Amino acid sequence: KDTPMVQVVSAVSFDSNLTVDADGVVVPFREIQLAAQVSGRIAHKSEKCRPGFHVKEGEELFRIDQRDYQLVQQQLESQQQQADIDLEQVTLDIRKAGDLLKLANDELQLQIREYERLKGLRARNAITDADVERGQRGVIAAQNLVVNNTADLDSSRKREYRLKSGKELLNTQMEKAILDLQRTIVSAPVDGVVVQELVETDSFVQPGNTLVVIEDTRRAEIRV
């Protein structure tokens, strides 16, 4: 029986391009639904914010009415300035209360020494009981002065703590106000093509309302 002939060749490297013909669909790599982050009236809408128009990353597409957010920021700035003035005043009050407390303590020590001296004199019958009682009343008055000045100092320190806490709250509110003002400008997050617009100028939007849909054109997928 005849054996079929088989041709044997040596393998060589393939340097040419390999072309494969296939049917497929080009789809965007991602589709971005750009939504509002603050509420307000659409005061400006870009002419490029129409289906089929190309937009660049960072390009302004919408501007929400900024007046309310600017007023909030101005009001907070005034409150911050007043808080600074109040803190300066309470710092002076603390310093004054501390000085008065020191003087009151010095006065108390003087009255105590005077009282002890009067008691010594009374023991030798050099003065009357009324003189000793006057010295005792002087000690009591000095003690009351120390108590009152201590209370004033504590009150000023507590007020300082409240003012500092309020100032920190104002700073946080200011950061939020600045962020809200920045969010009134809605810009394109990527280079892409507008595929859908959902609002027009003078429309009122709430946070979360979709304004426009953009397809990211930096990359694409081909489904075959």
Side-chain angles (χ1 to χ4, degrees):
K1 189 175 181 180
D2 295 337
T3 302
M5 299 297 293
V6 177
Q7 184 181 8
V8 179
V9 295
S10 300
V12 296
S13 61
F14 182 76
D15 297 328
S16 302
N17 294 327
L18 180 63
T19 302
V20 178
D21 294 329
D23 293 330
V25 178
V26 177
V27 295
F29 175 69
R30 60 175 178 163
E31 188 174 82
I32 301 172
Q33 295 184 356
L34 197 58
Q37 293 180 284
V38 294
S39 62
R41 181 183 63 86
I42 299 295
H44 172 73
K45 177 180 177 181
S46 172
E47 293 296 330
K48 290 186 178 180
C49 200
R50 295 285 186 269
F53 278 76
H54 288 264
V55 293
K56 295 291 185 180
E57 180 179 354
E59 183 176 353
E60 181 180 323
L61 302 180
F62 297 94
R63 183 183 302 138
I64 297 172
D65 192 353
Q66 298 179 327
R67 289 174 295 181
D68 289 341
Y69 300 99
Q70 290 171 340
L71 289 174
V72 170
Q73 188 171 339
Q74 292 172 4
Q75 182 180 10
L76 289 172
E77 287 175 351
S78 298
Q79 292 177 355
Q80 283 181 322
Q81 293 174 358
Q82 184 61 49
D84 289 335
I85 295 173
D86 292 341
L87 279 172
E88 290 178 1
Q89 181 61 50
V90 78
T91 300
L92 295 175
D93 292 342
I94 290 174
R95 186 180 300 127
K96 178 181 177 181
D99 293 340
L100 291 175
L101 180 59
K102 183 178 180 300
L103 293 174
N105 281 315
D106 293 341
E107 176 65 18
L108 177 60
Q109 296 303 317
L110 291 174
Q111 291 296 333
I112 290 174
R113 288 196 293 269
E114 177 65 13
Y115 178 51
E116 294 297 330
R117 188 182 69 83
L118 292 174
K119 287 193 299 183
L121 292 174
R122 182 69 184 95
R124 297 193 300 271
N125 292 321
I127 58 175
T128 64
D129 290 339
D131 295 326
V132 177
E133 290 175 357
R134 282 195 297 271
Q136 186 178 13
R137 285 194 293 270
V139 172
I140 294 173
Q143 288 174 336
N144 286 334
L145 188 60
V146 169
V147 170
N148 291 334
N149 287 330
T150 301
D152 290 342
L153 181 59
D154 291 341
S155 177
S156 296
R157 285 174 175 168
K158 290 179 181 178
R159 182 164 174 259
E160 180 187 37
Y161 176 78
R162 290 194 300 269
L163 288 173
K164 286 183 176 179
S165 298
K167 180 66 180 298
E168 291 177 359
L169 179 60
L170 284 175
N171 292 339
T172 301
Q173 292 175 341
M174 176 59 78
E175 291 177 2
K176 177 66 165 53
I178 292 173
L179 186 59
D180 286 343
L181 185 59
Q182 293 173 347
R183 286 173 172 172
T184 58
I185 297 178
V186 182
S187 303
V190 295
D191 293 346
V193 177
V194 176
V195 296
Q196 189 178 7
E197 55 169 332
L198 300 173
V199 295
E200 292 292 343
T201 304
D202 293 328
S203 299
F204 189 88
V205 295
Q206 296 283 359
N209 290 155
T210 301
L211 306 177
V212 66
V213 179
I214 300 174
E215 286 185 353
D216 188 351
T217 58
R218 293 178 298 181
R219 286 192 292 173
E221 295 178 346
I222 301 177
R223 297 176 183 173
V224 299

